[in-house]
Amino acid sequence: MGNKWTPLPPARILGIETSCDETAASIVENGRLILSSLVASQVELHAQFGGVFPEVASRQHIRTIYPIVEGALKQAHLDLGEVDAIAVTRGPGLPGSLVVGVNVAKGLALGSGLPIIGINHLEAHVYSAWLTTADAQPSAEPRFPLVVLIVSGGHSELVLMTDHLQYQRLGGTLDDAAGEAFDKVARLLGLSYPGGPSIQKAAEEGNPRTFDLPRAWLEDSWNFSFSGLKTAVLREVRRIQERGRPLPVHDMAASFQAAVVDVLVGKTLRAAETFKARDILVAGGVSANQALRQAFTKQKRFPVHIPPIWLCTDNAAMIAGAGYYRFVHGQQDRADMDVLPNWALG
Ligand code: KG4
Ligand code: ZN
């Protein structure tokens, strides 16, 4: 941490997250200590559609958000007057879902006089790596310069972080996000939504060397591409089905997962070497994947920070965590702040 950041003043932040299909609220102290974190998942509601149905998502957020915010305050044994600011996801995400959280945050800010801070959801995934709980073992903070891999349902981004809140985008996916590829391939294999956990489970009983699937290295850039891999899986599935053979779902899941992990880990390590990073940080829903976590922890070239699994997928503690760093940096947003559904990081 640079001198301009130390010492940082203490602050408690209420975080609110409604960017996709999780309604969440949390209180975090000093950007690190989670005092409470509640997440109401809509997964079962959307499973029947095989993906998130935007209108259903926003209506469910409306039903759930107030009890979740009240629950987060109650669990932390705090009144709203005892927090210092309200941080809310402003984007990227589904417009109709983002609007629910932002409007609730505005109402709470107006009623309490607290400042409101609009947070980038991708930045929040990054700050999930700083979070901890009172009963957790103390862990080292990520050190700058830091190479960050954000892999979620909507994004695959490789970013160089030179200090808190300072991002230099190196590359990202040219087509499907990593999580999106997991979700689409799961559907091809007849596995349930969301696809990431289903593929991971199926892969546990499969041989990753059964199918030689393509790795798109895109050597001259820091970008990713997963659509060719998805098409290769589709081609194999059709070939097997045309022969009237049963689909080797476990082997296919394992081979697909291995191809994704190879590229994500390979390019992240190479970026860390090229940009002389001290540490690597991996975050976002796909960082819950066991094979990806193992591949990153197995290498010994760079210390790797990956949040515990319950903080990899969408939650509001990460919004409050990022909110703290924005708050102590002096950010406050206006009462007419609009949502930013396509907001890029940095
Ligand atoms: O970060 P997240 O909860 O929401 C977005 O911001 O998009 O990420 C959701 C994505 C989904 O595509 C889901 O399939 C994937 O994360 N995911 C996983 C695993 N758990 C969730 N992908 C691979 N392995 C997992 N264990
Ligand atoms: Zn997310």
Side-chain angles (χ1 to χ4, degrees):
M1 248 188 326
N3 280 338
K4 66 183 190 289
W5 288 102
T6 47
L8 296 174
R12 279 191 204 122
I13 311 290
L14 164 65
I16 295 175
E17 154 68 33
T18 64
S19 70
C20 189
D21 61 341
E22 260 89 33
T23 318
S26 166
I27 320 275
V28 170
E29 205 164 74
N30 307 338
R32 292 213 78 184
L33 183 66
I34 301 173
L35 302 183
S36 67
S37 176
L38 296 188
V39 180
S41 171
Q42 304 178 5
V43 159
E44 280 167 30
L45 198 63
H46 298 289
Q48 56 183 312
F49 309 112
V52 179
F53 199 107
E55 194 188 317
V56 172
S58 27
R59 291 187 158 178
Q60 189 61 19
H61 285 309
I62 291 172
R63 285 190 205 104
T64 324
I65 186 73
Y66 275 108
I68 287 287
V69 170
E70 278 171 7
L73 286 165
K74 202 168 159 199
Q75 203 180 69
H77 307 291
L78 294 171
D79 294 324
L80 192 55
E82 294 172 282
V83 306
D84 298 284
I86 301 168
V88 62
T89 310
R90 190 179 180 187
L94 300 169
S97 288
L98 290 165
V99 159
V100 178
V102 165
N103 280 345
V104 166
K106 282 181 184 175
L108 292 173
L110 204 64
S112 62
L114 289 173
I116 185 171
I117 304 165
I119 296 295
N120 182 299
H121 182 88
L122 300 174
E123 174 169 84
H125 271 301
V126 176
Y127 276 95
S128 63
W130 269 265
L131 297 172
T132 187
T133 50
D135 56 359
Q137 295 281 353
S139 57
E141 282 192 50
R143 299 168 306 171
F144 306 111
L146 182 66
V147 160
V148 178
L149 174 71
I150 309 166
V151 269
S152 70
H155 294 84
S156 302
E157 300 276 307
L158 204 50
V159 177
L160 178 65
M161 225 176 143
T162 48
D163 202 341
H164 279 295
L165 312 179
Q166 302 298 316
Y167 311 96
Q168 186 186 323
R169 184 177 189 268
L170 303 176
T173 186
L174 300 177
D175 37 61
D176 292 341
E180 196 179 355
F182 269 94
D183 294 334
K184 287 179 177 171
V185 166
R187 207 174 307 159
L188 279 177
L189 299 179
L191 298 170
S192 61
Y193 170 86
S198 305
I199 296 239
Q200 177 179 308
K201 191 156 185 298
E204 280 166 16
E205 289 156 47
N207 178 355
R209 280 178 290 275
T210 310
F211 298 97
D212 186 18
L213 298 171
R215 273 88 170 140
W217 288 107
L218 311 180
E219 296 288 354
D220 55 347
S221 80
W222 298 110
N223 291 325
F224 300 105
S225 166
F226 296 108
S227 72
L229 174 59
K230 180 190 64 190
T231 309
V233 173
L234 176 65
R235 219 179 293 127
E236 284 289 347
V237 167
R238 288 219 178 112
R239 198 173 57 80
I240 294 163
Q241 283 171 339
E242 275 162 16
R243 291 180 184 175
R245 300 246 177 89
L247 202 59
V249 171
H250 297 114
D251 292 337
M252 187 65 87
S255 303
F256 162 77
Q257 184 176 264
V260 175
V261 169
D262 271 359
V263 175
L264 291 177
V265 176
K267 292 201 83 152
T268 306
L269 287 175
R270 220 178 294 162
E273 271 156 16
T274 304
F275 296 99
K276 301 193 170 27
R278 289 178 83 183
D279 290 4
I280 286 174
L281 190 162
V282 190
V286 181
S287 67
N289 185 269
Q290 283 302 345
L292 184 71
R293 299 171 80 89
Q294 276 163 17
F296 269 117
T297 43
K298 213 172 71 188
Q299 64 75 37
K300 299 296 170 211
R301 281 184 278 169
F302 294 92
V304 177
H305 304 265
I306 315 178
I309 288 170
W310 68 285
L311 293 172
C312 289
T313 47
D314 288 350
N315 63 83
M318 66 186 198
I319 308 301
Y324 170 78
Y325 286 94
R326 289 277 162 198
F327 179 64
V328 297
H329 192 54
Q331 180 179 329
Q332 285 195 27
D333 289 296
R334 288 159 46 122
D336 62 354
M337 165 177 87
D338 197 2
V339 299
L340 298 171
N342 300 311
W343 196 5
L345 180 60

